[in-house]
Amino acid sequence: MDVRRRSTNKPTTPMKMGVVVDDEKEPRASDALPLPLYLTNAVFFTLFFSVVYFLLTRWREKIRNSTPLHVVDLSEIVALVALVASFIYLLGFFGIDFVQSIFRPSADVWAADYDKNHAEELILDEDARKVPCGVDCAPPPPQVVETLASEEDEEIIKAVVAGTTPSYSLETKLGDCKRAAVIRREAVQRVTGKSLAGLPLEGFDYQSILGQCCEMPVGYVQIPVGIAGPLLLDGREYSVPMATTEGCLVASTNRGCKAIHLSGGATAVLLKDGMTRAPVVRFATAQRAAELKFFLEDPKNFDTLSMVFNRSSRFARLQTIKCAIAGKNLYIRFCCSTGDAMGMNMISKGVQNILDFLQKDFSDMDVIGLSGNFCSDKKPAAVNWIEGRGKSVVCEALISGDVVRKVLKTNVAALVELNMLKNLAGSALAGAPGGFNAHASNIVTAIYIATGQDPAQNVESSHCITMMEAVNDGKDLHVSVTMPSIEVGTVGGGTQLASQPACLNLLGVKGANREEPGSNARLLATIVAGSVLAGELSLMSALAAGQLVRSHMKYNRSSKDVSKVSS
């Protein structure tokens, strides 16, 4: 390695990369700037990041409202111009510095005379620049800065613990979602005296959940995602992502997919598509409540009500209005299409528009609640089982007798008998509304978590009746699932996070469909039904063949010694 030294009588100061330079400054291109360099840099850095933040905020709002990104107003045009200008300046600034570093006479690398307590410093030429990526050659910042930062955080933590600073206000107060999560986590540990060491904190974009998915975060939970399939549905193959902690679930669904595939695939039909919301209003008399019921259900008034309702969104379209009376209380069930969104917020806005409109002619109407549980959301309800909510889908497949014997390890007659006694008669004895199935909620919930749906809506989304019938003189099996209330969306909510869109993309239903609004969500609903069909087929076969306990003992039993797991 070539090492060069030169003695000089000029006082010197050490700089980055171990290079020692003279106190006498060389002229630089940046000296030609009209303002001092640090002021110019501060202005353009501030402009650049301010404009980026503004544009990202506007674009996120456009994505939420399904507005095309290329439609811009005057403020966005100005912001784009400012972004380009500041980017050109920053690129030029660093470019100048880079060019200067090349053409500066670095061939003669200096060494300086140090006092007696220092040996003569050796300055390496270009080989000294060959360091691993990510290694910071600059000296570390003064320790006092880190101490001040930690002391500041410590003061905030103490304020949260004492209750003088609300935990929910940390993101607004600090302007840093990650830092807020760290501080809140530490405050929770101190208040409860319990450790959160097993809960991951790093590696998550906390900014992405702000104001839409989760409040006061302290970490995130890891759930493994498995792939079942390919599921052959309507002539297309789908690899189905399932997020679950239950052993055998993915493997069982995968076996059902194999049986369906070998038998020629499944077919799904969308029967209905409409989200519901049902406010409850009160009058002084039952007669007055009935007058509003007749008004709302009169076909002559539907066009006017529909126009008022549809103002809430470009995609919300009112379909039906049905009312139920309990004394002087009126429950109004609105049903509308919601595009590719699951649609709860969308329909709630439309319902509020209708209530405001009705208040003019029914000024004595007292709105008790925007939701009166006649919707019905996240609860088992016969109205969803009968009328449907979200997407109503029926999915069927014809499984050949050979596949039943070789893949499912049972026979057609045993499956038909078990389905009648378990899924039909057994569920009837239990009085389970919409529960005429083996484990539809298992598959629904696993797909919902993987694709960013609301997991609580598995309650009504898992309403399912599984039918099995011997056909072709008893040789083959016709199996179907009918699911009247699958509530899914491909935009909004958890579909905007990092992992869930990847699973939606795997299924080919990510985001909104611009050519045919709503088709992505409808396709996702049919995939859910097809996956439930596979899961039902496999579990029922395992029960008929006596394989259930053996399978769970093999795949769903942990060998970990729980007594050695630290608390």
Side-chain angles (χ1 to χ4, degrees):
M1 182 180 295
D2 183 21
V3 178
R4 303 182 183 182
R5 294 179 295 176
R6 195 186 75 174
S7 177
T8 178
N9 293 326
K10 294 180 181 180
T12 59
T13 55
M15 295 187 67
K16 290 183 180 180
M17 301 294 292
V19 178
V20 181
V21 297
D22 294 342
D23 284 342
E24 185 177 347
K25 292 172 54 179
E26 297 178 11
R28 300 171 62 90
S30 57
D31 294 340
L33 293 171
L35 292 175
L37 184 59
Y38 73 94
L39 288 178
T40 308
N41 287 344
V43 170
F44 278 92
F45 266 100
T46 303
L47 178 63
F48 179 82
F49 288 107
S50 299
V51 169
V52 168
Y53 177 80
F54 171 79
L55 289 174
L56 289 177
T57 303
R58 294 299 296 270
W59 290 342
R60 187 169 73 172
E61 289 297 322
K62 288 185 177 183
I63 293 174
R64 286 180 176 177
N65 299 326
S66 300
T67 303
L69 294 179
H70 65 272
V71 177
V72 295
D73 55 23
L74 181 59
S75 63
E76 291 172 334
I77 294 175
V78 173
L80 288 171
V81 173
L83 177 66
V84 174
S86 57
F87 177 79
I88 291 174
Y89 168 79
L90 295 176
L91 182 64
F93 171 74
F94 288 109
I96 291 172
D97 191 69
F98 177 74
V99 171
Q100 286 181 338
S101 68
I102 294 177
F103 291 98
R104 191 179 296 138
S106 59
D108 295 324
V109 185
W110 306 289
D113 292 330
Y114 280 85
D115 58 28
K116 312 177 177 181
N117 298 326
H118 292 82
E120 190 176 69
E121 184 173 47
L122 300 181
I123 307 302
L124 308 181
D125 68 27
E126 61 183 18
D127 288 339
R129 295 193 294 269
K130 296 177 180 178
V131 295
C133 289
V135 175
D136 186 8
C137 299
Q143 188 65 28
V144 66
V145 175
E146 296 181 2
T147 303
L148 288 175
S150 62
E151 287 180 355
E152 182 183 354
D153 288 351
E154 181 65 26
E155 291 300 320
I156 299 174
I157 292 171
K158 291 179 179 178
V160 174
V161 172
T164 56
T165 297
S167 177
Y168 62 80
S169 68
L170 288 176
E171 281 79 6
T172 303
K173 178 181 177 65
L174 301 176
D176 185 337
C177 294
K178 168 66 182 304
R179 185 183 173 199
V182 173
I183 291 175
R184 180 181 296 111
R185 180 189 181 101
E186 179 59 27
V188 169
Q189 292 183 129
R190 294 188 188 183
V191 170
T192 62
K194 304 294 184 181
S195 173
L196 291 174
L199 185 68
L201 177 68
E202 301 294 335
F204 189 84
D205 180 12
Y206 293 94
Q207 183 71 32
S208 66
I209 66 174
L210 185 64
Q212 62 181 1
C213 289
C214 180
E215 297 75 42
M216 296 185 286
V218 294
Y220 59 95
V221 174
Q222 296 171 316
I223 301 180
V225 177
I227 299 295
L231 170 67
L232 183 58
L233 180 66
D234 295 325
R236 294 177 58 185
E237 292 184 347
Y238 300 94
S239 296
V240 183
M242 302 175 66
T244 182
T245 56
E246 180 183 349
C248 288
L249 180 59
V250 178
S252 177
T253 308
N254 189 67
R255 182 174 76 150
C257 290
K258 179 180 179 181
I260 292 172
H261 201 295
L262 291 175
S263 299
T267 302
V269 179
L270 187 82
L271 305 174
K272 186 179 179 181
D273 181 7
M275 182 52 64
T276 63
R277 174 61 87 197
V280 53
V281 299
R282 177 186 292 168
F283 290 88
T285 65
Q287 181 179 5
R288 187 66 172 150
E291 289 178 10
L292 179 56
K293 169 181 167 65
F294 296 145
F295 175 84
L296 291 172
E297 293 183 345
D298 188 342
K300 297 178 181 178
N301 300 323
F302 182 81
D303 288 342
T304 300
L305 296 171
S306 177
M307 181 180 65
V308 174
F309 183 97
N310 295 346
R311 291 173 186 168
S312 62
S313 170
R314 293 187 297 125
F315 302 103
R317 293 295 178 266
L318 184 63
Q319 296 175 342
T320 60
I321 303 175
K322 293 187 177 181
C323 300
I325 283 184
K328 58 183 182 179
N329 304 303
L330 181 66
Y331 297 81
I332 314 167
R333 194 171 196 259
F334 295 89
C335 181
C336 82
S337 59
T338 56
D340 283 304
M342 184 270 289
M344 287 303 301
N345 291 334
M346 191 183 300
I347 190 172
S348 296
K349 293 177 184 177
V351 168
Q352 188 62 58
N353 287 348
I354 292 284
L355 293 176
D356 293 341
F357 173 78
L358 293 174
Q359 204 82 55
K360 299 174 183 178
D361 293 327
F362 295 86
S363 58
D364 54 336
M365 179 181 70
D366 184 13
V367 179
I368 303 300
L370 189 64
S371 174
N373 274 7
F374 189 46
C375 312
S376 175
D377 188 39
K378 302 175 184 177
K379 290 165 284 291
V383 68
N384 291 335
W385 177 241
I386 297 170
E387 297 288 343
R389 188 171 195 257
K391 278 70 174 170
S392 300
V393 181
V394 59
C395 185
E396 63 179 346
L398 183 64
I399 310 299
S400 70
D402 287 342
V403 171
V404 172
R405 289 188 298 273
K406 296 178 182 178
V407 177
L408 302 177
K409 310 299 181 183
T410 184
N411 60 78
V412 173
L415 280 174
V416 172
E417 182 181 30
L418 177 62
N419 186 72
M420 180 188 66
L421 295 178
K422 171 183 167 61
N423 289 341
L424 303 183
S427 295
L429 285 175
F436 301 95
N437 58 83
H439 70 150
S441 64
N442 245 340
I443 290 85
V444 170
T445 306
I447 298 176
Y448 273 26
I449 295 175
T451 59
Q453 311 304 312
D454 189 339
Q457 289 185 323
N458 80 86
V459 177
E460 62 268 38
S461 296
S462 299
H463 281 179
C464 171
I465 181 169
T466 300
M467 303 292 291
M468 293 185 181
E469 180 184 352
V471 295
N472 298 331
D473 297 327
K475 296 179 181 178
D476 302 324
L477 175 72
H478 182 274
V479 56
S480 67
V481 292
T482 304
M483 305 179 69
S485 49
I486 301 177
E487 299 165 353
V488 292
T490 58
V491 296
T495 66
Q496 301 176 104
L497 302 179
S499 304
Q500 289 79 351
C503 294
L504 290 170
N505 187 57
L506 179 66
L507 295 172
V509 295
K510 178 182 175 182
N513 191 305
R514 302 297 181 184
E515 289 75 23
E516 188 180 351
S519 61
N520 280 357
R522 290 191 289 269
L523 177 56
L524 178 58
T526 62
I527 294 173
V528 170
S531 302
V532 168
L533 181 70
E536 291 287 282
L537 187 60
S538 184
L539 176 57
M540 292 295 288
S541 298
L543 288 169
Q547 300 170 333
L548 181 65
V549 174
R550 290 197 300 270
S551 298
H552 276 268
M553 291 298 294
K554 180 178 180 180
Y555 295 107
N556 200 26
R557 299 287 291 179
S558 173
S559 60
K560 182 183 293 185
D561 185 356
V562 295
S563 65
K564 296 181 181 179
V565 179
S566 59
S567 60

